[in-house]
Amino acid sequence: MSKIKTPQAIRGTQDIFGADAEAFAFVVETFERVRKLYRFRRVEMPVFEKTEVFSRAIGETTDVVSKEMYSFEDRGGESLTLRPEFTAGIARAFLTNGWQQHAPLKVATHGPLFRYERPQKGRYRQFHQIDAEILGAGEPQADVELLAMADQLLKELGIEGVTLHLNTLGDGDSREAWRAALIEYFAAVRGELSEDSQERLEKNPLRILDSKDPRDRKFVGDAPRIDQFLSDDARAFFDAVTTGLDAAGVKWARAESLVRGLDYYRHTAFEFIPDEGSAAAAALGSQSTILGGGRYDGLMESLGGAPTPAVGWAAGIERLAMLVQAPTDSMTLAIVIEDKELRFNNIGQMMASACRKAGIPTLVYSSGSPKKRYDKALKANPNAIFVLGGPEADGEVARLTIRHPNSPDEDIVAALGHAPMNLMRSVFGVPDAYWQRIVHDGGTVSLLS
RNA sequence: GCGAUCGUAGCUCAGUUGGUUAGAGCGCCGGUUUGUGGUACCGGAGGUCGGGGGUUCGAGACCCCUCGAUCGCCCCA
């Protein structure tokens, strides 16, 4: 009989547990709270879509589409793809559900995304993002509000040392003119560029601007700048965004070489990036962007819809979680059942139930030797321990010992309220005043029949 | 897709130029002690040394393949 081999987890997936899971939840909870402050409406989206949703929206030549998608055929032979991002699916939903009627529509969501990449620090094949979009809003104030929300979120998460890097890619015409000028400029020095950038020259010349290779960097400084190609409208739009951010108290830095990888971006493009040398930068390894997005006025048309201006961002939950300290649950009550008689287990469960209904996180220890139970309870670092034991003196039916392993804690006394007190009174006839004093100071209650 | 490092107990790791029966700490289980419980001590369970092949009298150590992990490149959140 051969031993069954335990299957391994899929490469690049994570089983998140413990402090990491708490940090993850803290990010999501904070996002949910902040998005409500800005009245973004919650949406739930499918995890997979027809492949064309992504290939048309994101662009066939992008890395995401050309080599990172999890695509498969369903039983009907249709090509489906696990979503590599939120925006394309939301745009599809906007069109197929007639959400034009709600425009301008502010929506927020979060969940898993999938990209077939080599995993490394802060990058996974299944990863998770929070996402916010404003659909059907062409005015720069939408960009400002969206960024103000992102800025507030990071502050409420307690993330320090991160700066909003902001750029404009101009409108469609500006972007094309700039792109043409960049190709002309870099083509002239083609042979001196890095191999990667010679490749980029064909596929995505804008990306040469933020190449890390020193062979490229020496040419980047003198490369044509978007500002030279901005139309009056595009310039006015960007000015409105920047002055709006100043008014909203959002700090930002101009990043002329910031371009975003996906085809659909127009006008505003931005990333929140840790400052060099900061603790955040160290925690993230080579991954720098924690939140990124921009305006995608052309996207709806690529999906066959009417021209619809929109702007949005997404942030990696794992990356944010690496930068936050989740608040720990402050108050815990541990109930240790010392006697092995079954009825003590039941009394312990009644006590726990009463305490939990009163809002106190409560743990019950009822397995292993009495000493082990107590030791385990101590390791949970509770504010108070109730030890429920059998009778030790004549006339006793049970005794309850209350201990404060750390220091006497007023809060837990207040938080307990009357629920356990009432329980003790009804089960054992303990007077209120006595209970109050015992809980407060620690000690033993003798429970008489 | 490319590169570097790594893979020994549940966890963190030792394991000497290849040489008897593969070790420690923590954790887990059991017990003793401490006369009021987080300590200390004793004992126990737990390993096909990631998997496969090769070299050798002999491989956890060396070689090849493979899977996985970590970090970096590309790209991205």
Side-chain angles (χ1 to χ4, degrees):
Chain A
M1 203 164 71
S2 67
K3 189 168 183 273
I4 295 171
K5 195 165 163 68
T6 304
Q8 290 179 316
I10 304 296
R11 171 172 235 185
T13 62
Q14 315 167 77
D15 304 307
I16 308 172
F17 174 75
D20 292 341
E22 296 300 331
F24 190 107
F26 175 60
V27 170
V28 172
E29 286 159 13
T30 305
F31 173 67
E32 276 295 294
R33 187 163 51 74
V34 172
R35 67 99 180 155
K36 287 175 188 168
L37 293 174
Y38 288 78
R39 290 288 182 200
F40 276 65
R41 300 164 77 174
R42 177 77 204 195
V43 288
E44 299 296 336
M45 303 300 302
V47 169
F48 58 163
E49 297 273 355
K50 290 185 182 181
T51 296
E52 61 186 316
V53 170
F54 304 114
S55 59
R56 293 223 292 251
I58 300 170
E60 293 281 0
T61 62
T62 60
D63 278 24
V64 169
V65 171
S66 64
K67 60 182 202 190
E68 295 175 2
M69 292 207 303
Y70 272 97
S71 298
F72 61 97
E73 281 190 5
D74 70 4
R75 288 166 188 257
E78 183 128 51
S79 179
L80 307 180
T81 295
L82 299 180
R83 63 187 179 195
E85 62 152 43
F86 279 113
T87 305
I90 290 173
R92 187 235 85 215
F94 183 87
L95 297 172
T96 58
N97 294 313
W99 285 348
Q100 290 95 337
Q101 64 183 313
H102 302 300
L105 175 63
K106 300 194 286 187
V107 295
T109 192
H110 66 82
L113 304 168
F114 304 85
R115 289 183 199 170
Y116 193 90
E117 293 186 278
R118 281 290 284 274
Q120 56 183 278
K121 194 183 188 78
R123 339 170 45 155
Y124 307 95
R125 287 187 173 180
Q126 178 179 335
F127 60 106
H128 302 79
Q129 288 185 344
I130 52 179
D131 181 276
E133 314 275 351
I134 304 181
L135 304 156
E139 65 280 2
Q141 286 71 32
D143 306 43
V144 172
E145 180 169 296
L146 192 78
L147 282 164
M149 174 182 161
D151 189 65
Q152 181 169 355
L153 171 66
L154 297 180
K155 285 192 168 71
E156 301 220 358
L157 286 170
I159 293 173
E160 309 270 343
V162 170
T163 300
L164 166 58
H165 292 236
L166 187 69
N167 196 19
T168 178
L169 305 173
D171 49 34
D173 290 343
S174 313
R175 182 174 159 151
E176 275 318 302
W178 182 38
R179 181 188 162 95
L182 283 171
I183 292 173
E184 188 183 5
Y185 172 79
F186 284 117
V189 294
R190 180 186 199 105
E192 298 176 62
L193 297 175
S194 68
E195 296 76 12
D196 283 335
S197 283
Q198 294 186 29
E199 188 93 1
R200 291 186 183 108
L201 200 48
E202 310 294 334
K203 286 171 57 183
N204 197 349
L206 273 58
R207 291 226 71 93
I208 300 175
L209 293 174
D210 58 4
S211 168
K212 294 168 190 166
D213 196 302
R215 286 172 291 176
D216 303 328
R217 294 225 58 83
K218 63 182 175 190
F219 297 111
V220 167
D222 295 327
R225 298 172 177 219
I226 180 63
D227 289 14
Q228 302 165 317
F229 300 91
L230 286 180
S231 64
D232 289 346
D233 285 350
R235 185 179 308 280
F237 189 96
F238 191 57
D239 287 344
V241 172
T242 57
T243 55
L245 288 173
D246 292 339
V250 177
K251 291 207 175 66
W252 58 279
R254 178 70 195 274
E256 278 188 293
S257 65
L258 186 143
V259 296
R260 307 232 68 223
L262 311 182
D263 282 2
Y264 52 59
Y265 285 107
R266 300 285 184 279
H267 289 292
T268 319
F270 52 84
E271 296 179 355
F272 283 80
I273 300 175
D275 303 332
E276 222 156 308
S278 68
L284 283 165
S286 72
Q287 262 49 250
S288 52
T289 305
I290 57 171
L291 184 153
R295 179 161 278 281
Y296 49 94
D297 290 352
L299 174 56
M300 294 292 178
E301 288 165 90
S302 73
L303 291 174
T308 307
V311 59
W313 57 250
I317 298 176
E318 289 89 346
R319 291 186 187 177
L320 291 171
M322 287 191 281
L323 305 181
V324 304
Q325 189 66 51
T328 53
D329 294 329
S330 52
M331 189 183 308
T332 308
L333 171 67
I335 296 176
V336 174
I337 299 166
E338 203 169 45
D339 196 280
K340 300 218 172 182
E341 248 186 89
L342 178 61
R343 67 191 184 92
F344 287 98
N345 276 331
N346 293 337
I347 295 167
Q349 291 302 338
M350 286 169 69
M351 290 176 61
S353 180
C355 294
R356 286 163 179 158
K357 280 173 186 159
I360 313 290
T362 303
L363 295 161
V364 181
Y365 296 89
S366 59
S367 70
S369 68
K371 181 189 167 82
K372 295 276 186 203
R373 295 179 192 189
Y374 191 86
D375 289 351
K376 278 182 189 166
L378 282 168
K379 284 179 182 168
N381 197 29
N383 302 70
I385 300 179
F386 289 9
V387 182
L388 183 61
E392 292 182 18
D394 286 347
E396 267 186 357
V397 293
R399 56 170 51 196
L400 182 71
T401 304
I402 295 168
R403 295 178 182 280
H404 298 101
N406 302 313
S407 56
D409 194 319
E410 299 291 327
D411 289 343
I412 201 153
V413 178
L416 277 165
H418 291 277
M421 194 197 303
N422 292 340
L423 177 79
M424 297 308 286
R425 183 171 52 198
S426 65
V427 176
F428 298 113
V430 176
D432 284 5
Y434 192 33
W435 169 259
Q436 190 86 309
R437 185 169 58 73
I438 285 297
V439 173
H440 212 278
D441 299 333
T444 300
V445 199
S446 220
L447 306 169
L448 306 171
S449 57

